[in-house]
Structure formats: structure tokens, C-alpha cells
Amino acid sequence: MFTLRLAALALLCAPALAAGPNLGQPLTHGDLAAWEIHVLPDGKGLPPGSGTMAQGAPIFAQKCAFCHGEAGKGGVSTALVGAPPIKSIDSPKTIANFWPYSTTVFDFIRRAMPWQAPRSLTDDEVYALTAYILALNKLIGEQDVMNAQTLPKVKMPNRDGFIPRFPDRMPQPPERDL
Amino acid sequence: MEKLQPAAGNGLLDRRAFLRGGAALAAAMTGYSVKAETLAEPPWGKEPGDVVPPYGGPSKHEKGVVRTLSNPKGEPRTQHARTPHHLLQGTATPNGLHFTISHAGNADIDPAGHRLAIHGLVKRPLLFTLDALARYPMVSRFTFMECGGNSAPLFSPEPIQASVQALHGLASCAEWTGVPLSTLLEETGVDPKARWVVAEGADAPHLSRSVPLSKILDDAMVALYQNGERVMPGQGYPMRLLLPGWEGNMNVKWLRRLQLTEQPAMTYYESRTYAPILPGGKAYRFYFLQEVKSFITQPSVGLAMKGPGFYEISGIAYSGNGRIAKVMVSADGGKTWAQAALQEPVMSKSFTRFRIPWQWNGGPAVLQSRAWDDGGNVQPTRAEIVAQRGQAARVPSPLGFPSQHYNGITSWSVETNGEVRHVYA
């Protein structure tokens, strides 16, 4: 049913172009490069570049430890190292005990960190910080290089710890004419 | 004078009592026990008033009607501002009192420099200015907005003594006006492989969430106006994603980019924060819907009763599934129930105000409300939520989020001294 609706939308697109306001500006390849920062769990969207734990350690000390504590042990902001067992619904969620995808670590650092100066890190620096945090959590080796090929292959311990509520537990929206 | 019929135990009266004759009811209830004062002309009747300002605000006597702030100094963490439900009536939250959560402050965006890109699995990727979007055919709709973590203190193993503002203040309701996303996607075209839309804000965290394409095509809009004026900075000025009835965090503020994809991005907020842990250690993922819920706003904690007599019990009900069909109210902790009146118009995925008259005899009472929506969904009791979802191992801060998506019943105990307490019943 869902697929049919999408197909109907695709078919309607051509005639709709003439009737609609058409006030968008066509984007060509490259226009959005500075904004295209979504990284998908299979690694789509990861940029060129690479980094290691050794390269990440001094960047972390300079730009991250102020909030996250020395070696990510926690400070005014959450700890980035450690995997306490999940014993109750309010247990702390950490990268090692909860995050299902390693790509999310890269994506979140690149889009949102450091808190005071987001989007100020180079892609190599983001890879290095990702490697540093994953290695501190022993999710990769201390010598491992993180790049667009290696990062998506990092297996996170809680990958299979989730029960999706969508779509099975969601009511489907009514059919509508497009 | 008509005899007032009780509708349930402990003084709940028929919801239609007012409709049959308000004056008779008032006379019957209040008893006019105190003689009126002798009146004189007050000062404001003896001189002209204040100059009318270009943008009006509330009376200076209403300075206490404000949001509570979790991080008033803007320290490097999330800021929450909660709606004072106990001091408001009706269903439209004033724009300045609409709840706000900002993970790194409210972005200060020059509307002339803001752009919205729609790209990815589309036939024609397009970039829109605010001026361009404002020329598209628009729609208006009332809808509630609710944080997935609203009401989380009720996961506490013991009832937290906090106001309805502290417990349920991360929900508000407004009329939103903007451009349906189905209109914009007709112009970009949709690749048949697309299943998700990853939305992103232009704020410092570049907050991102993955939204099923089916929801985007159903009733999503790019909202430009809030209760008639431009969207407030804390709501994403100059534009936000609006997903009626779905988790607040997905309604991305300061919206600048929509990327159509085959798969969800598993962003920080969907793979970690809004993935509530279940008692067995697994966690829900993609808990998008804000389910049917209600709570009593008057009386509530902090609003002391002023002696036995007549009161109107009033509150808010809403469901991300559709319209509220029925709200039942109890004054005896759930032993007996009476149906509340629903204030028209009752709108889909919107706050609905319910009211019921109550004759308080001055004795102990436990007030509860329970809502049903037109899809047949019923608000669970707290015991039902705890049985399915568990409860926190320790008592959290009233500002904490031990879990998300609590939509169970809230109970207010009215003590014989008139104080109102939060209890589990």
C-alpha cells in the first residue's frame, strides 16, 4: 500500500511541475558539500580522511576533556568511556554499553562537537577522536586506523539490543490522494 | 431549583450541570455565606490608563505566569523551559509559554540567510529561501507538541512532589501554519527507493532525526507561523519541521535540510537518547508516537484549595493517534468514574480541554483523569505502564529523564487541609 502511494507520487511529479509554484532553486552536485554531513550506519556519507587513537589523544585533551573529563572519564558532561551493565530502565547509556552503530560517534562529533565550537574540526580530527574514544572503550585496537572503510565495520556490543516500534507498533496513516 | 445529580463518588457532579442552568448551579453551590463589601470607585477608574505598546504583553500582575528553566545561565548542556499548565486555561499555549528544549541555545538566524535544501533520493534536488516558501499554498492546523521525555518523573519509584508544570510541562499546543511537505516533494519528485527523510537543523548541534517518508507524505509541514506570528526563536525560527502527534525531538527546529534516504541514519537522538530501556535490558527504537494521555491541571500541586465547596476540575487530554473521544474523572482514586465534558472544538492530535463540576466536602480525595481516543486507544494506569515498561531503580531529580514516553494516569491527593499532593493510586 505504501509502495503504491509512492509510485503514484512519482507518476504525478511530471505534470505537477507545471502547476506548482516551482520556486525552489535547482541544486547541482557540489552545491551542498559543506552541509552534507549525514553519515548512515552502512558508512554512506563518510568523508575521505583517517585518524588513530594516538592522533586523537592530544585533540581530546585540548578540546574535549574540559567537559568530558580526562581520557573521557566524565566531567560536567557525560563519561565517554565505560560499559556499566544495564540493570534498570534508568541505567546510564554509554557508547560501549548502548550505542548500536559506530558511525553515530563520527556523525555526532562532526555535527555537534566541541559544544562551544561545532563544525570547527577537520574530518581527519573527527576520525582521530572517533578512534580515540572507540579504542579507550576497547571496541578497536589501539593501533587501528579509522576511515570510511574501517569505521562502519566496527561491531558495537549492543547492536542487537533494540526492539523497533516502527512500523509494526505504529498505526498506518490513512491513504490520501496526492 | 433543579436538584444536582452526583455522577460518581466523592462529590463528582454531572458534566451537564452547567448547561442546564449556570445561575442555579452557582446559587446552589456557593451558598453566598459572606456578605459583599461596600464598593468605591477604584483608582484605575479615575485617570486614563497606560500608553498602548506596539507589541502587547500580559498584565504586570501576571509576572508569575512563566516557564521554569532547567539551565538559566546557559551552561554547556541542554536547556528546558516548561509550560505552566496550572496557571493556564483553554488549549492554545501562548507563544512565550510554549515549552522549549534547546540542546545548545536558541539559534539566532537571519531569515534572509536561511535556506532549506531537499535532496538525496529525489529527482530534482531543490533549495528554498524563506521568501520562496512563504509564496506556497499554506495550511493551518492546531497540534500539540510533546517531548518524548515529558512526564518522565512518573517513572520514579516514589511520587515526586512537583507541580504539573514540572511533571508535564514539556507539552504545549499551538496553531501552526506552513507548507505541506507533500507539496514540496511533488516538485522535487521522489525516487521509489526512498523510505526515510533525515531532517537537520541549522543550530549549533545540527540536530538530526530520521523520519519515515510515509509520515512526511501524510501530514508533515514546514511550519513558518505559530499562533499567527512567525515561529518563535525557541521553536525554530524561521522554520521547523512539524510532525503532528509525533515525538517533539523529531519536529526539527531551525530546519535547513531534508535528505531522502533508503535507511534511517541512526542519529544520536534516535539510536541513543530516545531509545527507552525496557525491564529486560533491551530498548525500544523508533518510539515515534505520543500516545493518548491526560492530566488534571486544576486543582493540582501548588494550587491550594480554599475550603470545602464547589470547584471545577479541569485538565488537558491529547493523542498522537487522533481525536480525544472521552475523558473519565475520578475523585476517589479510581473506584468510581464520571465522564467529563469536552470543550469544543475537539481537534485531532491537539490539546482537548476537559471539565467536570465537583462538590468537595473537605475530606480526603484522590483526583485522576483517564482519556480515550477515537482509535479506541485508552490511557493506561500507572501500574500498567510499570508492568510493561518498569520503573527507575532510584528516585530521580524532577528535572531528570529516567525513561521516556510515560502516558499513564496522574493522581492528585487533595488533603483535608486543602493542600494538593502528587501520589500513586
Side-chain angles (χ1 to χ4, degrees):
Chain A
M1 210 157 52
F2 175 64
T3 310
L4 279 178
R5 201 167 54 222
L6 288 182
L9 178 68
L11 286 174
L12 280 173
C13 284
L17 277 180
N22 290 307
L23 298 170
Q25 303 158 326
L27 281 163
T28 53
H29 190 67
D31 290 346
L32 264 183
W35 285 16
E36 285 196 77
I37 56 173
H38 292 320
V39 176
L40 304 184
D42 64 0
K44 280 197 188 74
L46 280 171
S50 68
T52 63
M53 181 188 201
Q55 291 163 337
I59 304 167
F60 190 92
Q62 186 193 347
K63 299 185 174 179
C64 315
F66 177 74
C67 289
H68 291 288
E70 184 199 345
K73 289 172 184 161
V76 294
S77 291
T78 184
L80 303 177
V81 175
I86 291 179
K87 291 179 178 167
S88 61
I89 66 166
D90 53 340
S91 291
K93 299 171 181 173
T94 69
I95 291 170
N97 81 0
F98 198 78
W99 292 36
Y101 294 98
S102 56
T103 46
T104 309
V105 180
F106 182 97
D107 178 278
F108 189 68
I109 295 171
R110 183 164 67 157
R111 73 175 55 252
M113 292 291 130
W115 195 87
Q116 304 285 5
R119 304 292 288 121
S120 63
L121 299 168
T122 66
D123 289 339
D124 283 337
E125 288 176 317
V126 178
Y127 275 119
L129 288 168
T130 303
Y132 178 71
I133 292 165
L134 293 175
L136 284 177
N137 280 297
K138 303 195 186 311
L139 298 169
I140 62 170
E142 296 192 353
Q143 309 301 323
D144 288 356
V145 177
M146 287 294 102
N147 58 35
Q149 286 71 48
T150 56
L151 177 60
K153 295 196 182 83
V154 176
K155 177 92 167 97
M156 301 294 274
N158 197 41
R159 170 76 57 90
D160 301 320
F162 296 86
I163 300 168
R165 285 188 63 101
F166 176 88
D168 294 338
R169 288 164 180 263
M170 297 281 288
Q172 289 302 300
E175 290 294 304
R176 61 190 291 276
D177 295 328
L178 287 162
Chain B
M1 196 161 56
E2 191 171 359
K3 172 82 172 159
L4 293 163
Q5 294 300 318
N10 214 3
L12 283 178
L13 302 173
D14 190 294
R15 68 189 185 281
R16 293 171 294 253
F18 270 133
L19 303 179
R20 287 201 296 261
L25 178 72
M29 306 311 304
T30 59
Y32 296 138
S33 57
V34 181
K35 183 192 172 298
E37 64 201 293
T38 304
L39 296 175
E41 185 63 38
W44 47 85
K46 293 182 172 176
E47 59 180 359
D50 297 334
V51 173
V52 174
Y55 192 100
S59 162
K60 67 183 180 186
H61 303 288
E62 299 295 320
K63 282 200 172 73
V65 184
V66 291
R67 301 182 297 187
T68 46
L69 306 179
S70 67
N71 179 8
K73 293 179 183 168
E75 291 163 5
R77 56 188 168 88
T78 302
Q79 300 180 48
H80 312 78
R82 288 170 163 84
T83 296
H85 294 300
H86 56 305
L87 303 176
L88 301 176
Q89 259 290 350
T91 54
T93 311
N95 283 346
L97 298 176
H98 196 289
F99 92 88
T100 288
I101 299 177
S102 293
H103 296 287
N106 288 343
D108 176 15
I109 292 181
D110 174 1
H114 185 78
R115 298 288 182 274
L116 173 64
I118 304 178
H119 70 113
L121 294 177
V122 298
K123 293 187 167 57
R124 290 206 320 160
L126 292 173
L127 190 68
F128 295 92
T129 64
L130 178 61
D131 284 349
L133 285 174
R135 287 176 57 191
Y136 276 76
M138 294 197 205
V139 294
S140 295
R141 68 163 299 154
F142 275 90
T143 192
F144 72 88
M145 184 73 61
E146 183 178 35
C147 172
N150 191 37
S151 318
L154 276 84
F155 283 108
S156 167
E158 294 163 26
I160 291 179
Q161 290 313 314
S163 69
V164 69
Q165 178 173 22
L167 300 178
H168 301 303
L170 297 176
S172 305
C173 186
E175 185 207 50
W176 302 90
T177 299
V179 183
L181 265 164
S182 55
T183 303
L184 300 177
L185 290 181
E186 280 173 12
E187 296 196 351
T188 63
V190 175
D191 185 316
K193 292 197 295 292
R195 286 293 176 275
W196 293 81
V197 179
V198 189
E200 178 182 270
D203 54 332
H206 304 86
L207 191 145
S208 59
R209 285 298 301 261
S210 307
V211 183
L213 181 58
S214 53
K215 176 65 174 178
I216 293 285
L217 294 176
D218 176 30
D219 60 358
M221 74 159 82
V222 178
L224 307 180
Y225 294 88
Q226 174 188 355
N227 288 332
E229 63 183 345
R230 289 286 192 178
V231 167
M232 297 289 272
Q235 300 304 319
Y237 179 88
M239 61 185 71
R240 83 173 310 163
L241 180 60
L242 192 80
L243 305 172
W246 281 27
E247 189 173 73
N249 181 261
M250 302 175 77
N251 294 254
V252 174
K253 302 187 287 192
W254 310 291
L255 182 69
R256 80 166 186 190
R257 195 158 70 93
L258 295 165
Q259 180 178 356
L260 278 69
T261 60
E262 286 182 74
Q263 50 180 318
M266 296 298 179
T267 71
Y268 174 85
Y269 288 102
E270 62 213 28
S271 67
R272 180 226 177 244
T273 306
Y274 292 102
I277 298 171
L278 298 166
K282 295 236 175 191
Y284 275 143
R285 168 182 290 162
F286 304 150
Y287 199 145
F288 297 148
L289 194 67
Q290 296 300 119
E291 299 189 88
V292 60
K293 182 163 169 177
S294 69
F295 47 84
I296 293 168
T297 55
Q298 292 100 359
S300 63
V301 172
L303 298 178
M305 309 286 285
K306 294 175 173 66
F310 175 82
Y311 292 87
E312 179 176 80
I313 296 171
S314 173
I316 293 165
Y318 49 98
S319 169
N321 280 303
R323 285 177 182 78
I324 290 298
K326 179 174 72 171
V327 175
M328 303 295 285
V329 171
S330 175
D332 54 14
K335 290 198 231 2
T336 61
W337 296 85
Q339 191 168 348
L342 301 185
Q343 176 66 60
E344 295 288 345
V346 176
M347 292 181 281
S348 177
K349 306 177 187 179
S350 181
F351 276 6
T352 295
R353 175 65 59 176
F354 65 86
R355 312 174 200 276
I356 188 165
W358 180 42
Q359 174 70 25
W360 182 44
N361 63 12
V366 174
L367 306 181
Q368 297 179 322
S369 67
R370 188 172 204 184
W372 280 253
D373 68 28
D374 62 2
N377 303 288
V378 56
Q379 180 179 13
T381 64
R382 184 177 178 280
E384 286 167 346
I385 292 257
V386 169
Q388 189 197 358
R389 302 278 313 283
Q391 64 182 348
R394 58 199 76 80
V395 176
S397 154
L399 299 176
F401 296 96
S403 188
Q404 294 91 18
H405 288 278
Y406 179 93
N407 71 316
I409 287 173
T410 300
S411 304
W412 304 131
S413 170
V414 178
E415 316 278 307
T416 52
N417 66 2
E419 294 291 316
V420 182
R421 292 174 51 79
H422 178 213
V423 295
Y424 291 159

